[in-house]
Amino acid sequence: MAALPDESRSPAVPTVAYRGRFAPSPTGDLHAGSLLAAFGSWLLARHADGAWLVRVEDLDPPREVPGAAQRQLDTLTAFGLASDEAIERQSQRHALYAQALDRLLADGRAFHCHCSRTDLAAAGGIHRRCVARAPRPNPAVRLRVEDHSLVAFDDAIQGAITQDVAHAVGDVVLRRADGHWAYQLAVVVDDAAQGITDVVRGADLLDSTPRQILLQRALGLPTPRYAHLPLVLGADGRKLSKSDAAWPVDPVRPLPALHDAWRRLGQPPAALEGASAVPDLLARARAAFDPALIPRGPRPDAQAGDSFHNR
Ligand code: GLU
C-alpha cells in the first residue's frame, strides 16, 4: 500500500502494522480451498486495518498450468479481492532466492546433496546425512537441520504447534535437483522482502511452517505471525479429494462462493443476507467479521493449545 504522508504520525511508527498476503500457485483455477484462504486472509487484514497483497507463486514450471495465473487474478478481481500493492511474481525474483542460498552456503548452513529419492527410501525419504551412491550432475541444496530441532509457534487459529523438524522433515530442500527453487525458500524470502507480518493460509500448510521458521532463523529474518484456516471439507465431513478440491469457483457467480466461504469461516450467514452485489457483500463482511468465530477445523497433525477462541 502506498502510504500517504501523514504529518500527525511519528515517523518512528510504521503506517501499516499489519501486512497480509494471498500467495496462490498457478497450478489450476481457484477452488473453494483457495478462495477460503483469499477471503480469510483479506478479512483478517481488513479487520486489522492492514494491507493485503497478492503474490503469484509461479516457481514450479513443471506443475504450472498455462493461463492459470491470469485466470486466478481475474477470479480474485471478480470476487472484489484486489491487491493493495503491485502484484509480485516469483518467476521474476530468482536473484533474491540465489542471494539467500549463497548466504546459507557461505555460512555452512546449507550444503549440496547428491542423494536421490531411491537413496533416501530406506530412511522414509528423510535426509539426515548424505548416502548417495553416485554423484549427480546437478545436486540439490539442502538446509542443514540440527538434531532435535524442536520448533514451537503459536498459531492464531490452530493454537500451540510444535514439530521436531529433524525428525519429521530432515534436511530441507532449498533448491531441487531439477534446478528449481523450493517453495520453502522462496516463501520465506518473499514474506520477509515484502514485510509480511501475518501469514494466513490453509491448514494444509501448517506442517510447512516449522521448517519455514527454521529457515527464517538461519537467514536472520523475522518470523511473522501465523494463522492457518480450516481445511475445506466435503459434504461427508471428509477432506476433499484432489479432484473435488480442484473444482473451480465460478467467477461469473461470485456471491454463492463468497457466502459459502463466509460460512466456512464460522461467520453468521445472517450478516450477509440480502447482499445484492460483491462490493455490498464485502462491506457487510468487513463490518461483521469476528476472527474469534473461525473454527479450527480438523487438523492434519499437532496438538491443540491457545487460539483466538480461548484468548
Ligand atoms: N503457493 C502456496 C499454495 O498455493 C501457498 C503459499 C503460502 O500461502 O505460503 O499452496
Side-chain angles (χ1 to χ4, degrees), residues 14 17 39 49 59 68 70 104 155 178 216 222 227 233 235 306:
F39 194 28
D49 281 331
L59 207 56
Q70 194 52 49
L104 291 169
D155 188 275
D178 64 7
Q216 288 152 4
L233 300 178
D306 189 21

Side-chain angles (χ1 to χ4, degrees), residues 14-154:
T15 317
V16 175
Y18 183 114
R19 289 170 64 81
R21 80 327 184 257
F22 173 56
S25 303
T27 51
D29 290 342
L30 286 192
H31 50 73
S34 35
L35 179 66
L36 192 81
F39 194 28
S41 59
W42 182 88
L43 282 165
L44 282 162
R46 289 294 175 260
H47 188 73
D49 281 331
W52 185 74
L53 279 58
V54 175
R55 180 170 73 227
V56 175
E57 300 212 319
D58 52 351
L59 207 56
D60 194 351
R63 290 187 58 229
E64 194 167 332
V65 173
Q70 194 52 49
R71 280 202 304 280
Q72 289 180 338
L73 295 176
D74 292 346
T75 302
L76 286 175
T77 305
F79 281 76
L81 306 173
S83 182
D84 290 323
E85 294 178 10
I87 292 172
E88 296 288 359
R89 291 170 188 269
Q90 288 191 326
S91 55
Q92 309 295 310
R93 298 166 70 80
H94 294 283
L96 278 179
Y97 313 138
Q99 233 171 48
L101 192 78
D102 286 349
R103 215 162 78 223
L104 291 169
L105 283 166
D107 291 350
R109 309 295 296 260
F111 60 97
H112 289 96
C113 171
H114 293 265
C115 297
S116 67
R117 243 173 245 259
T118 322
D119 292 330
L120 297 176
I126 292 178
H127 189 284
R128 297 304 296 137
R129 61 195 172 85
C130 282
V131 291
R133 275 166 286 189
R136 313 177 100 183
N138 300 306
V141 178
R142 293 180 184 267
L143 177 73
R144 195 177 300 286
V145 175
E146 303 300 332
D147 288 340
H148 310 298
S149 286
L150 201 67
V151 175
F153 71 100
D154 184 22

